């Protein structure tokens, strides 16, 4: 379970390939002071996680528990439940929040429920894997202290995350349409400013209102604005997960742990793609432009009023795949990739700070922040063993 144990196994493997055991052992031992060649068969197992691998998995387990908590709040109010999919009838059975989300994609409530189930499975799997390797599991249940929404449909249980006072980072919407890369120093403006906003109906009053015939499914502009905020928040969360898994995978040593991070990371990408499309539908016709008559929050039509540099390309709402961008160095051609994937921009501390700066943990205790950041620092400190 230690990095040095793994190094010994790796060294043994490579020198066995190279020639006679006795001669090579002497040369290798001499060349690598401080390392001991071990020939214990029990240690020659490439699948065993290193200490760094465990730190990565523990931070990812925490991140998944956080994702599961916030997605559960979305699913209780905006999802269709975990029952078999039902045909959505726009005229009945849906509450206004679900209707508003359906305006962004007719299958939106189903996708919200599916995303939630995925996050729960990610967290459960990672903790079960940690336990199977004799490592300590992660629990954030001690921090389940925040009162959530009181709107009809909520379970009323206490939460780990806050969705009712968010500063949603919408710069990813610009970043994925840009040809520049944060890992090469680029910065990106917000696509739309969403400060101190709620992403879920906070109470029954948020759900009420007079239907606005402008929308495909008539809902009040106030709840449509809340759904639009949620759409950009979905993208921010899943983009963060996408970069996080891609960044931490570069530090993994065990082949089995790499299989886990690449496989779960692929699901984060799948989520992100849907929410790119979803949020784009909130800033084009027929939904946009519109203004929340209660809060004054306006969602322009990005096609007719591009919010960044007056150019359509940086916020074109019909784009959903990554636009090719600079990567590694200026001599190589632009390429369509996940970005960022550097420690600084996409690592565990960067992800934790992204969560924190968005207001996701408003109301949490100092101990919570300390716990989260310590897990993040330990994950970022992991080094690839070979
Ligand atoms: Fe996840
Ligand atoms: Fe996710």
């Amino acid at each position: 379970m230690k990095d040095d144990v793994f190094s010994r196994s790796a060294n043994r493997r490579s020198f066995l390939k190279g020639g006679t055991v006795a001669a090579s052992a002497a040369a290798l031992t001499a060349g690598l002071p401080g390392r001991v060649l071990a020939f214990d068969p029990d240690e020659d197992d490439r699948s065993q996680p290193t200490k760094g691998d465990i730190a990565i998995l523990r931070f990812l387990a925490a991140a998944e528990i956080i994702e599961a908590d916030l997605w559960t709040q979305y699913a209780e109010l905006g999802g269709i439940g975990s029952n078999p999919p039902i045909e959505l009838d726009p005229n009945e059975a849906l509450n206004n929040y679900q209707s508003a989300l359906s305006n962004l994609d007719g299958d939106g409530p189903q996708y919200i429920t599916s995303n939630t189930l995925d996050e729960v499975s990610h967290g459960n799997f990672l903790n079960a894997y940690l336990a199977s390797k004799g490592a300590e599991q992660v629990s954030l249940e001690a921090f389940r202290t925040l009162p959530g929404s009181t709107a009809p449909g909520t379970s009323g249980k206490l939460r780990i995350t806050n969705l009712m006072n968010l500063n949603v980072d919408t710069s990813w919407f610009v970043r994925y349409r840009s040809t520049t890369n944060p890992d090469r120093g680029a910065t990106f403006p917000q696509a739309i400013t969403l400060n101190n906003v709620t992403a879920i109906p906070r109470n029954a009053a948020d759900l009420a209102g007079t239907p606005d015939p402008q929308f495909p499914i008539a809902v009040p502009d106030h709840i449509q604005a809340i759904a639009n905020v949620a759409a950009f928040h979905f993208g921010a969360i899943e983009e963060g997960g996408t970069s996080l898994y891609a960044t931490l995978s570069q530090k993994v040593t065990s082949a089995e742990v790499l299989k886990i991070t690449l496989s779960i990371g692929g699901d984060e990408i799948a989520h992100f793609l849907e929410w790119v499309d979803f949020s784009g539908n909130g800033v084009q016709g027929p939904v946009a432009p519109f203004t929340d008559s209660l809060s004054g929050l306006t969602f322009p039509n990005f096609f007719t009023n591009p919010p960044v540099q007056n150019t359509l390309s940086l916020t074109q709402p019909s784009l959903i795949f990554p636009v090719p961008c600079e990567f590694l160095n200026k001599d190589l051609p632009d390429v369509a990739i996940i970005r960022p994937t550097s420690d600084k921009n996409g690592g565990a501390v960067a992800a934790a700070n992204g969560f924190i700066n968005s207001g996701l943990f408003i109301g949490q205790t100092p101990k919570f922040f300390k716990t989260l950041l310590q897990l993040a620092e330990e994950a970022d400190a992991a080094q690839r063993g070979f």
Side-chain angles (χ1 to χ4, degrees), residues 9-352:
S9 301
N11 288 336
R12 177 199 173 194
R13 197 174 295 109
S14 55
F15 100 82
L16 279 175
K17 262 190 260 166
T20 63
V21 172
S24 299
L28 195 51
T29 305
L32 292 170
R35 294 194 181 187
V36 178
L37 283 170
F39 291 96
D40 179 353
D42 290 343
E43 292 182 353
D44 189 16
D45 184 351
R46 198 181 276 237
S47 73
Q48 289 307 307
T50 64
K51 196 173 153 195
D53 291 339
I54 295 297
I56 288 169
L57 294 173
R58 295 194 78 231
F59 178 75
L60 290 175
E64 295 292 353
I65 290 167
I66 288 163
E67 280 197 298
D69 180 76
L70 71 90
W71 274 109
T72 296
Q73 295 180 66
Y74 282 126
E76 286 180 10
L77 294 164
I80 64 161
S82 54
N83 296 317
I86 52 165
E87 194 64 36
L88 295 179
D89 181 341
N91 298 313
E92 42 185 82
L94 291 177
N95 70 33
N96 279 329
Y97 187 50
Q98 290 165 330
S99 298
L101 292 161
S102 297
N103 282 338
L104 304 179
D105 185 318
D107 294 324
Q110 172 65 63
Y111 297 154
I112 288 166
T113 296
S114 299
N115 203 139
T116 306
L117 295 174
D118 289 2
E119 306 304 3
V120 171
S121 80
H122 292 165
N124 285 345
F125 179 88
L126 290 169
N127 258 337
Y129 184 79
L130 285 164
S132 78
K133 297 296 175 185
E136 194 187 347
Q137 294 188 327
V138 177
S139 171
L140 299 178
E141 285 307 300
F143 306 110
R144 187 174 292 288
T145 55
L146 307 182
S149 167
T150 60
T154 177
S155 66
K157 68 180 183 182
L158 294 172
R159 314 293 180 175
I160 300 167
T161 61
N162 151 63
L163 295 176
M164 298 187 289
N165 312 86
L166 286 176
N167 301 319
V168 181
D169 180 8
T170 63
S171 63
W172 60 268
F173 195 91
V174 182
R175 185 194 321 143
Y176 266 87
R177 289 161 174 79
S178 162
T179 58
T180 60
N181 186 332
D183 293 338
R184 305 259 311 134
T187 58
F188 305 90
Q190 299 291 305
I192 187 164
T193 301
L194 300 176
N195 286 342
N196 193 22
V197 288
T198 187
I200 51 174
R202 295 161 294 188
N203 45 44
D206 274 340
L207 284 172
T210 306
D212 184 333
Q214 170 193 357
F215 296 115
I217 299 172
V219 298
D221 51 40
H222 180 59
I223 198 72
Q224 187 66 53
I226 294 173
N228 276 33
V229 168
F232 277 93
H233 190 234
F234 297 166
I237 290 294
E238 300 305 314
E239 182 283 327
T242 294
S243 276
L244 176 66
Y245 274 90
T247 302
L248 291 182
S249 290
Q250 297 168 61
K251 300 167 172 291
V252 167
T253 298
S254 145
E256 187 170 83
V257 174
L258 186 61
K259 186 172 190 165
I260 293 169
T261 58
L262 292 178
S263 303
I264 296 180
D267 193 41
E268 303 293 335
I269 300 168
H271 296 160
F272 176 48
L273 184 67
E274 161 55 22
W275 305 127
V276 174
D277 190 29
F278 199 72
S279 53
N281 290 338
V283 287
Q284 61 178 301
V287 171
F290 76 97
T291 298
D292 179 342
S293 51
L294 293 180
S295 71
L297 183 61
T298 294
F299 288 87
N301 181 334
F302 282 6
F303 272 118
T304 52
N305 280 305
V308 177
Q309 296 169 11
N310 276 330
T311 58
L312 180 58
S313 65
L314 285 173
T315 52
Q316 186 181 326
S318 55
L319 294 184
I320 65 169
F321 302 127
V323 169
C325 72
E326 57 184 345
F327 189 41
L328 300 182
N329 68 61
K330 64 179 172 41
D331 297 326
L332 291 164
D334 286 359
V335 58
I337 52 161
I338 295 165
R339 64 267 201 174
T341 54
S342 67
D343 271 10
K344 178 169 172 263
N345 298 311
V349 170

